[in-house]
Amino acid sequence: MKHLGKKVWVIPDGYIPSEGSMSIPGHECLCIVNTGDSDAKVKLTVFFEDREPIEGDYFVVKARRTIHAWLNKSDLIGGLVIPKEVPYSLVVESDKEIVVQLSRLDTRLGNMALLSVIGFPIE
């Protein structure tokens, strides 16, 4: 199957909430699907309001697979450590076309609030 999607995606609204007090901890999750027949090398760059951007190492999304990587688990996203409760924006770059979605689960107030958005495709 051919690779569907784009190679560069932007997610302007990032914010990893604290874990909260419910059985499912609050988090943000980067969902990536690779529909093609070859692995995709993916790299993240995080932009902040008050500091320089940070970049992770490449991580792989295997061919014809999907990943759901919690953004507070650095081993899933190329060693990148994104601070909790700090607004940020995210650029996702890949050597193959992929599709990118971001989901946030906020459980800080004893309720579950879920936000899910498709990234903005660039190229």
Side-chain angles (χ1 to χ4, degrees), residues 10 15-16 24 27 33 36 45 47 52-53 55 58 63 68 81 84 88 90-91 93 98 102 106 112 123:
V10 177
Y15 186 87
I16 301 172
I24 300 173
H27 63 276
V33 62
T45 304
F47 292 85
E52 290 299 309
E55 294 182 0
Y58 286 98
H68 294 79
V81 176
K84 289 182 182 179
Y88 70 90
L90 190 62
V91 174
E93 298 175 271
I98 57 174
L102 180 81
D106 192 340
M112 287 191 181
E123 56 180 58

Side-chain angles (χ1 to χ4, degrees), residues 48-52 86-87:
F48 300 99
E49 295 175 353
D50 60 352
R51 60 189 97 170
E52 290 299 309
V86 174

Side-chain angles (χ1 to χ4, degrees), residues 5-6 23 30 34 39 42 79 86 89 101 104 110 112:
K6 299 290 183 179
S23 60
L30 190 62
N34 176 3
D39 294 352
V42 178
V86 174
S89 296
Q101 176 182 353
R104 178 183 310 143
M112 287 191 181

Side-chain angles (χ1 to χ4, degrees), residues 12-84:
D13 179 25
Y15 186 87
I16 301 172
S18 65
E19 292 184 4
S21 60
M22 301 188 75
S23 60
I24 300 173
H27 63 276
E28 277 193 330
C29 183
L30 190 62
C31 308
I32 302 174
V33 62
N34 176 3
T35 62
D37 291 328
S38 56
D39 294 352
K41 286 176 43 179
V42 178
K43 181 178 181 178
L44 306 180
T45 304
V46 184
F47 292 85
F48 300 99
E49 295 175 353
D50 60 352
R51 60 189 97 170
E52 290 299 309
I54 57 174
E55 294 182 0
D57 291 329
Y58 286 98
F59 59 95
V60 173
V61 180
K62 293 185 182 268
R64 301 170 54 91
R65 298 290 185 265
T66 185
I67 64 166
H68 294 79
W70 285 24
L71 293 177
N72 61 330
K73 296 184 177 183
S74 65
D75 58 317
L76 301 177
I77 56 172
L80 196 56
V81 176
I82 303 173
K84 289 182 182 179

